[in-house]
Amino acid sequence: MLGKTAGGLTWMFRYLERCETMSRLIETGFRNALTRPATASDEWAAVLDAAGVRSAYLERHQSFEQSAVVDFLLRDCNNPSSVMSCIEHARNNARLVRTALSREVWEVTNDCWMTLKAALGHKVRDRDLPAVLSIIRQQNALVRGATHGTMLRNDIFNFCRIGTFMERADATARILDVKYYVLLPSISHIGSALDNVQWENILRSVGAHSSYRWLNGPDISALGIAEFLILDHRMPRSLAFCIDKVASNLCYLEKEYATRNPSQEKVAEMVTLLAEAKIDEIFDEGLHEFILDLLADISELSAMIETDYRFYE
């Protein structure tokens, strides 16, 4: 496969995953602002931090007002991580690799672009925001479904999945990095209604609220949530799950091309780290430091994959 095609596939699915991540972050900010109106501006600032676009936002705005932040994250084409920018980039990459995609994947990606362009054609009102965010996630789910249902399990499929899980791992790590202070709350808040809302909103920001509740019932704790989002191999947005999937897809590529690249060595180290890690030890040594190290590893792995397969954004 040409490196240009590999890159197009990987970035197509990275941008699609980023669309969904952005919708979940906005939903979390919206919930937090409703439940904690006194600190709403801080909540929206945290959303921008998790999205990695705070500096870009402050170049155009002076305060963290809800309407401005939501519009910046949804519709601002000057924000490369806005939903509108991401779906444009995803579709452009899909056009670049059109012959590598099944007809169904191309059509549903194009439909996704048209649907979101219509939904985001004007500034979204607060009362319409939940419905618009739901549309974003539904459209992304359709692309994933077409991909799983119609694509051969070959190198094309593997590059698609690498893009998805690299982006997902990065997003989960960033959310944890921004929200880690909530996982270590003040003694006065532990067990309070406010505390429980904070826990649940962290889970919702990565689509993990229902699955966590299903496994743990009403028991909510810092250790439990951190372990679930970092180390639980059953949770499709946990760091361990995502890195395992990247490792599997790189392993398939190794067999396909009969070549073991440095990225395979790097991801193997990350898999071992997460398999051997204990949540008590992570907290003792510092959750924040652990997450920062993982973010650095994810960034390094992404660059190594691009170098190994000679593709660029």
Side-chain angles (χ1 to χ4, degrees), residues 15 18 45-47 80 88 132 138 162 187 208 221 238 252 261 294:
Y15 282 123
R18 196 173 298 178
V47 169
E88 287 280 358
V132 170
Q138 288 171 0
I162 286 170
I187 296 297
S221 69
S238 77
Y252 293 138
N261 290 310
L294 268 178

Side-chain angles (χ1 to χ4, degrees), residues 24 102 114-115 122 155 162 202 244 262 275 308:
R24 293 186 185 279
S102 67
M114 289 189 293
T115 300
H122 55 272
D155 52 352
I162 286 170
I202 290 173
D244 274 353
D308 289 345

